[in-house]
Amino acid sequence: MQLIVTKNPTDLAKQAADFIAKRIKEVLKKKDRFTIALSGGSTPKALHELLAKSPYREQIPWAQLHVFWGDERYVPIDDEQSNAGMAYDTLLGHVYTPEDQIHVWRTELEPEAAAADYDKILHEYFGDTGPTFDLVLLGMGDDGHTLSLFPGTEVVHEQTAWTKAYFLTQQNMYRLTLTAPVVNRASCVAFLVAGPKKAEPLKEVLEGEYNPDKYPSQEIKPTEGELIWMVDEKAASLLAK
Ligand code: 6PG
């Protein structure tokens, strides 16, 4: 595991953008497509906005990207809570990646059907052995959740299914999510975490006892890939090392 501590959220976005551009370049030397799973929440917005501008806009071969999402809120894409909607507003609407390479969770379907649809998309794209994303971007909530793996939910322990839909009582909404084993097959997983509210959960996730029911982010441990935590100084403030 690699821990990168940045000065502030602006610096975090900059370092993440540099890292992503470099990663894409390296992977595309060896093959002709780059698969990325985006995250939702607010932290990625600054990163997206940066990637949509010079020099990243010109540097990254957007037409070779194949875009997925680690999780989605069960709302229409034009709802302000939609992860896909946010990514279109801040990034995908400003660069050119062919629409058939952008794989959104279809929230116009019933929740279970939307999860089954995404499972089908992943099988068709990656084959039956399982997805191997080149990069999965993740965030971590104040409660230690990541993806839509929330504390105390059964989905945290899911080992078989690739995707899940479930009703998240504390938010009174359905969530659609990839499961931890799918993300753990990725070549690289990068968490982006900023702000003082993340300091305590970050300490527990990285330095506390293993307790994924309380801190689901602990379930993210790529089997062969790299794990990178990019965090700002405020989020890192309680870490021992
Ligand atoms: C979502 C997410 C979620 C997010 C964290 C962190 O849809 O809510 O994908 O797992 O990454 O909640 O969100 P912030 O960046 O807003 O803190």
mmCIF file of all heavy atoms in Angstrom, residues 38-44 70-73 81 83 138-143 145-150 171 175 192 194 198, ligand 1:
data_model
loop_
_atom_site.group_PDB
_atom_site.id
_atom_site.type_symbol
_atom_site.label_atom_id
_atom_site.label_comp_id
_atom_site.label_asym_id
_atom_site.label_seq_id
_atom_site.Cartn_x
_atom_site.Cartn_y
_atom_site.Cartn_z
ATOM 1 N N LEU A 38 -15.114 5.080 -12.087
ATOM 2 C CA LEU A 38 -15.159 6.355 -11.363
ATOM 3 C C LEU A 38 -15.932 6.197 -10.065
ATOM 4 O O LEU A 38 -16.714 5.256 -9.907
ATOM 5 C CB LEU A 38 -15.838 7.425 -12.229
ATOM 6 C CG LEU A 38 -15.200 7.718 -13.586
ATOM 7 C CD1 LEU A 38 -16.062 8.727 -14.367
ATOM 8 C CD2 LEU A 38 -13.791 8.260 -13.409
ATOM 9 N N SER A 39 -15.724 7.142 -9.165
ATOM 10 C CA SER A 39 -16.499 7.122 -7.920
ATOM 11 C C SER A 39 -17.435 8.316 -7.907
ATOM 12 O O SER A 39 -17.373 9.191 -8.772
ATOM 13 C CB SER A 39 -15.573 7.154 -6.713
ATOM 14 O OG SER A 39 -14.931 8.390 -6.639
ATOM 15 N N GLY A 40 -18.285 8.352 -6.902
ATOM 16 C CA GLY A 40 -19.213 9.484 -6.785
ATOM 17 C C GLY A 40 -18.786 10.382 -5.643
ATOM 18 O O GLY A 40 -17.604 10.460 -5.325
ATOM 19 N N GLY A 41 -19.748 11.033 -5.038
ATOM 20 C CA GLY A 41 -19.440 11.924 -3.928
ATOM 21 C C GLY A 41 -18.886 13.243 -4.424
ATOM 22 O O GLY A 41 -18.897 13.532 -5.629
ATOM 23 N N SER A 42 -18.357 14.046 -3.496
ATOM 24 C CA SER A 42 -17.941 15.400 -3.881
ATOM 25 C C SER A 42 -16.445 15.515 -4.179
ATOM 26 O O SER A 42 -16.033 16.361 -4.980
ATOM 27 C CB SER A 42 -18.323 16.369 -2.763
ATOM 28 O OG SER A 42 -17.751 15.901 -1.555
ATOM 29 N N THR A 43 -15.611 14.672 -3.552
ATOM 30 C CA THR A 43 -14.157 14.797 -3.724
ATOM 31 C C THR A 43 -13.704 14.724 -5.191
ATOM 32 O O THR A 43 -12.819 15.494 -5.586
ATOM 33 C CB THR A 43 -13.425 13.732 -2.870
ATOM 34 O OG1 THR A 43 -14.014 13.731 -1.566
ATOM 35 C CG2 THR A 43 -11.950 14.019 -2.754
ATOM 36 N N PRO A 44 -14.273 13.843 -6.022
ATOM 37 C CA PRO A 44 -13.756 13.754 -7.391
ATOM 38 C C PRO A 44 -14.056 14.960 -8.291
ATOM 39 O O PRO A 44 -13.454 15.087 -9.353
ATOM 40 C CB PRO A 44 -14.449 12.515 -7.981
ATOM 41 C CG PRO A 44 -15.130 11.840 -6.870
ATOM 42 C CD PRO A 44 -15.300 12.824 -5.777
ATOM 43 N N GLY A 70 -18.068 2.658 -9.957
ATOM 44 C CA GLY A 70 -18.042 1.701 -8.851
ATOM 45 C C GLY A 70 -19.391 1.582 -8.170
ATOM 46 O O GLY A 70 -19.773 0.515 -7.698
ATOM 47 N N ASP A 71 -20.098 2.692 -8.095
ATOM 48 C CA ASP A 71 -21.433 2.625 -7.489
ATOM 49 C C ASP A 71 -22.288 3.771 -8.006
ATOM 50 O O ASP A 71 -21.802 4.698 -8.654
ATOM 51 C CB ASP A 71 -21.347 2.647 -5.955
ATOM 52 C CG ASP A 71 -21.076 4.030 -5.399
ATOM 53 O OD1 ASP A 71 -20.241 4.767 -5.974
ATOM 54 O OD2 ASP A 71 -21.697 4.382 -4.382
ATOM 55 N N GLU A 72 -23.577 3.653 -7.696
ATOM 56 C CA GLU A 72 -24.515 4.680 -8.151
ATOM 57 C C GLU A 72 -25.655 4.801 -7.154
ATOM 58 O O GLU A 72 -26.022 3.838 -6.474
ATOM 59 C CB GLU A 72 -25.053 4.307 -9.542
ATOM 60 C CG GLU A 72 -25.943 5.339 -10.198
ATOM 61 C CD GLU A 72 -25.294 6.728 -10.324
ATOM 62 O OE1 GLU A 72 -25.316 7.460 -9.302
ATOM 63 O OE2 GLU A 72 -24.807 7.083 -11.406
ATOM 64 N N ARG A 73 -26.155 6.034 -7.045
ATOM 65 C CA ARG A 73 -27.362 6.248 -6.245
ATOM 66 C C ARG A 73 -28.551 5.957 -7.162
ATOM 67 O O ARG A 73 -28.498 6.290 -8.356
ATOM 68 C CB ARG A 73 -27.429 7.689 -5.761
ATOM 69 C CG ARG A 73 -26.343 8.044 -4.732
ATOM 70 C CD ARG A 73 -25.216 8.814 -5.346
ATOM 71 N NE ARG A 73 -24.137 9.125 -4.387
ATOM 72 C CZ ARG A 73 -23.964 10.336 -3.867
ATOM 73 N NH1 ARG A 73 -24.766 11.333 -4.212
ATOM 74 N NH2 ARG A 73 -22.978 10.551 -3.022
ATOM 75 N N GLN A 81 -27.985 14.165 -7.350
ATOM 76 C CA GLN A 81 -27.265 13.143 -6.572
ATOM 77 C C GLN A 81 -26.647 12.048 -7.439
ATOM 78 O O GLN A 81 -25.963 11.165 -6.931
ATOM 79 C CB GLN A 81 -28.227 12.481 -5.594
ATOM 80 C CG GLN A 81 -28.689 13.402 -4.500
ATOM 81 C CD GLN A 81 -29.310 12.571 -3.381
ATOM 82 O OE1 GLN A 81 -28.626 11.897 -2.648
ATOM 83 N NE2 GLN A 81 -30.625 12.625 -3.294
ATOM 84 N N ASN A 83 -24.238 9.950 -9.560
ATOM 85 C CA ASN A 83 -22.781 9.913 -9.758
ATOM 86 C C ASN A 83 -22.432 10.062 -11.234
ATOM 87 O O ASN A 83 -21.474 10.758 -11.588
ATOM 88 C CB ASN A 83 -22.204 8.604 -9.210
ATOM 89 C CG ASN A 83 -22.236 8.557 -7.694
ATOM 90 O OD1 ASN A 83 -22.379 9.592 -7.035
ATOM 91 N ND2 ASN A 83 -22.106 7.366 -7.132
ATOM 92 N N LEU A 138 -11.782 5.526 -5.859
ATOM 93 C CA LEU A 138 -12.737 5.395 -4.759
ATOM 94 C C LEU A 138 -12.670 6.599 -3.840
ATOM 95 O O LEU A 138 -11.642 7.293 -3.773
ATOM 96 C CB LEU A 138 -12.427 4.144 -3.927
ATOM 97 C CG LEU A 138 -12.617 2.776 -4.577
ATOM 98 C CD1 LEU A 138 -12.200 1.681 -3.607
ATOM 99 C CD2 LEU A 138 -14.056 2.561 -5.017
ATOM 100 N N GLY A 139 -13.753 6.819 -3.123
ATOM 101 C CA GLY A 139 -13.764 7.815 -2.063
ATOM 102 C C GLY A 139 -14.073 7.086 -0.763
ATOM 103 O O GLY A 139 -14.391 5.897 -0.769
ATOM 104 N N MET A 140 -13.972 7.782 0.335
ATOM 105 C CA MET A 140 -14.368 7.176 1.607
ATOM 106 C C MET A 140 -15.262 8.157 2.364
ATOM 107 O O MET A 140 -14.930 9.342 2.493
ATOM 108 C CB MET A 140 -13.137 6.854 2.459
ATOM 109 C CG MET A 140 -13.530 6.147 3.754
ATOM 110 S SD MET A 140 -12.149 5.943 4.874
ATOM 111 C CE MET A 140 -11.884 7.622 5.390
ATOM 112 N N GLY A 141 -16.394 7.680 2.831
ATOM 113 C CA GLY A 141 -17.313 8.533 3.583
ATOM 114 C C GLY A 141 -16.825 8.759 5.014
ATOM 115 O O GLY A 141 -15.943 8.053 5.495
ATOM 116 N N ASP A 142 -17.453 9.719 5.704
ATOM 117 C CA ASP A 142 -17.089 10.020 7.100
ATOM 118 C C ASP A 142 -17.283 8.791 7.988
ATOM 119 O O ASP A 142 -16.686 8.693 9.061
ATOM 120 C CB ASP A 142 -17.993 11.125 7.682
ATOM 121 C CG ASP A 142 -17.986 12.383 6.834
ATOM 122 O OD1 ASP A 142 -17.186 12.454 5.881
ATOM 123 O OD2 ASP A 142 -18.810 13.270 7.135
ATOM 124 N N ASP A 143 -18.150 7.883 7.562
ATOM 125 C CA ASP A 143 -18.435 6.674 8.354
ATOM 126 C C ASP A 143 -17.582 5.486 7.917
ATOM 127 O O ASP A 143 -17.830 4.357 8.335
ATOM 128 C CB ASP A 143 -19.926 6.317 8.213
ATOM 129 C CG ASP A 143 -20.322 6.091 6.757
ATOM 130 O OD1 ASP A 143 -19.458 6.245 5.856
ATOM 131 O OD2 ASP A 143 -21.496 5.759 6.508
ATOM 132 N N HIS A 145 -17.431 4.227 4.870
ATOM 133 C CA HIS A 145 -17.942 3.465 3.721
ATOM 134 C C HIS A 145 -17.132 3.794 2.476
ATOM 135 O O HIS A 145 -16.489 4.855 2.393
ATOM 136 C CB HIS A 145 -19.438 3.717 3.492
ATOM 137 C CG HIS A 145 -19.762 4.949 2.705
ATOM 138 N ND1 HIS A 145 -20.142 6.131 3.287
ATOM 139 C CD2 HIS A 145 -19.779 5.189 1.369
ATOM 140 C CE1 HIS A 145 -20.382 7.035 2.348
ATOM 141 N NE2 HIS A 145 -20.153 6.499 1.169
ATOM 142 N N THR A 146 -17.173 2.869 1.543
ATOM 143 C CA THR A 146 -16.640 3.147 0.206
ATOM 144 C C THR A 146 -17.565 2.458 -0.771
ATOM 145 O O THR A 146 -18.360 1.602 -0.379
ATOM 146 C CB THR A 146 -15.186 2.672 0.043
ATOM 147 O OG1 THR A 146 -14.691 3.202 -1.191
ATOM 148 C CG2 THR A 146 -15.085 1.146 0.020
ATOM 149 N N LEU A 147 -17.481 2.822 -2.057
ATOM 150 C CA LEU A 147 -18.481 2.355 -3.020
ATOM 151 C C LEU A 147 -19.846 2.620 -2.364
ATOM 152 O O LEU A 147 -20.014 3.635 -1.696
ATOM 153 C CB LEU A 147 -18.292 0.867 -3.337
ATOM 154 C CG LEU A 147 -16.940 0.478 -3.969
ATOM 155 C CD1 LEU A 147 -16.618 -0.984 -3.739
ATOM 156 C CD2 LEU A 147 -16.932 0.791 -5.468
ATOM 157 N N SER A 148 -20.820 1.662 -2.494
ATOM 158 C CA SER A 148 -22.019 1.773 -1.650
ATOM 159 C C SER A 148 -21.989 0.639 -0.634
ATOM 160 O O SER A 148 -22.993 0.000 -0.355
ATOM 161 C CB SER A 148 -23.292 1.761 -2.497
ATOM 162 O OG SER A 148 -23.512 3.028 -3.073
ATOM 163 N N LEU A 149 -20.811 0.393 -0.088
ATOM 164 C CA LEU A 149 -20.652 -0.596 0.979
ATOM 165 C C LEU A 149 -20.678 0.171 2.299
ATOM 166 O O LEU A 149 -19.671 0.759 2.696
ATOM 167 C CB LEU A 149 -19.322 -1.351 0.826
ATOM 168 C CG LEU A 149 -19.013 -1.947 -0.549
ATOM 169 C CD1 LEU A 149 -17.651 -2.640 -0.542
ATOM 170 C CD2 LEU A 149 -20.102 -2.932 -0.974
ATOM 171 N N PHE A 150 -21.865 0.206 2.911
ATOM 172 C CA PHE A 150 -22.047 1.003 4.129
ATOM 173 C C PHE A 150 -21.904 0.147 5.388
ATOM 174 O O PHE A 150 -22.175 -1.060 5.345
ATOM 175 C CB PHE A 150 -23.419 1.693 4.098
ATOM 176 C CG PHE A 150 -23.433 2.917 3.219
ATOM 177 C CD1 PHE A 150 -23.549 2.795 1.840
ATOM 178 C CD2 PHE A 150 -23.286 4.192 3.762
ATOM 179 C CE1 PHE A 150 -23.533 3.918 1.021
ATOM 180 C CE2 PHE A 150 -23.267 5.309 2.952
ATOM 181 C CZ PHE A 150 -23.390 5.177 1.583
ATOM 182 N N GLN A 171 -30.223 6.266 4.395
ATOM 183 C CA GLN A 171 -30.347 7.349 3.413
ATOM 184 C C GLN A 171 -31.687 7.292 2.693
ATOM 185 O O GLN A 171 -31.927 8.053 1.753
ATOM 186 C CB GLN A 171 -29.194 7.296 2.417
ATOM 187 C CG GLN A 171 -27.891 7.710 3.063
ATOM 188 C CD GLN A 171 -26.776 7.928 2.062
ATOM 189 O OE1 GLN A 171 -26.974 7.842 0.859
ATOM 190 N NE2 GLN A 171 -25.602 8.210 2.566
ATOM 191 N N ARG A 175 -29.289 1.788 -3.347
ATOM 192 C CA ARG A 175 -27.927 1.967 -3.826
ATOM 193 C C ARG A 175 -27.581 0.810 -4.753
ATOM 194 O O ARG A 175 -28.026 -0.326 -4.543
ATOM 195 C CB ARG A 175 -26.947 1.964 -2.647
ATOM 196 C CG ARG A 175 -27.032 3.203 -1.787
ATOM 197 C CD ARG A 175 -26.380 4.345 -2.493
ATOM 198 N NE ARG A 175 -26.221 5.513 -1.664
ATOM 199 C CZ ARG A 175 -25.129 6.282 -1.678
ATOM 200 N NH1 ARG A 175 -24.109 6.003 -2.452
ATOM 201 N NH2 ARG A 175 -25.055 7.357 -0.928
ATOM 202 N N LEU A 192 -9.283 8.611 -2.931
ATOM 203 C CA LEU A 192 -9.043 10.058 -2.807
ATOM 204 C C LEU A 192 -9.844 10.550 -1.605
ATOM 205 O O LEU A 192 -11.076 10.432 -1.605
ATOM 206 C CB LEU A 192 -9.565 10.776 -4.055
ATOM 207 C CG LEU A 192 -8.557 11.096 -5.152
ATOM 208 C CD1 LEU A 192 -7.935 9.822 -5.676
ATOM 209 C CD2 LEU A 192 -9.248 11.833 -6.282
ATOM 210 N N ALA A 194 -10.276 13.656 1.482
ATOM 211 C CA ALA A 194 -9.865 14.986 1.942
ATOM 212 C C ALA A 194 -10.759 15.494 3.066
ATOM 213 O O ALA A 194 -11.932 15.143 3.143
ATOM 214 C CB ALA A 194 -9.912 15.976 0.780
ATOM 215 N N LYS A 198 -12.617 13.223 7.747
ATOM 216 C CA LYS A 198 -12.146 11.896 7.329
ATOM 217 C C LYS A 198 -11.000 11.409 8.208
ATOM 218 O O LYS A 198 -10.543 10.281 8.061
ATOM 219 C CB LYS A 198 -11.678 11.931 5.865
ATOM 220 C CG LYS A 198 -12.698 12.460 4.868
ATOM 221 C CD LYS A 198 -13.825 11.471 4.650
ATOM 222 C CE LYS A 198 -14.986 12.057 3.871
ATOM 223 N NZ LYS A 198 -14.792 12.171 2.463
HETATM 224 C C1 6PG B 1 -21.297 7.606 -3.417
HETATM 225 C C2 6PG B 1 -19.911 7.121 -3.427
HETATM 226 C C3 6PG B 1 -19.204 7.081 -2.154
HETATM 227 C C4 6PG B 1 -18.227 8.254 -2.031
HETATM 228 C C5 6PG B 1 -17.958 8.562 -0.582
HETATM 229 C C6 6PG B 1 -17.049 9.731 -0.389
HETATM 230 O O1 6PG B 1 -21.996 7.423 -4.368
HETATM 231 O O2 6PG B 1 -21.682 8.181 -2.401
HETATM 232 O O3 6PG B 1 -19.346 6.694 -4.555
HETATM 233 O O4 6PG B 1 -18.618 5.870 -1.832
HETATM 234 O O5 6PG B 1 -17.059 7.972 -2.721
HETATM 235 O O6 6PG B 1 -19.170 8.819 0.043
HETATM 236 O O7 6PG B 1 -17.710 10.869 -0.785
HETATM 237 P P1 6PG B 1 -17.098 12.332 -0.651
HETATM 238 O O8 6PG B 1 -16.032 12.425 -1.661
HETATM 239 O O9 6PG B 1 -18.255 13.230 -0.964
HETATM 240 O O10 6PG B 1 -16.636 12.451 0.736
#
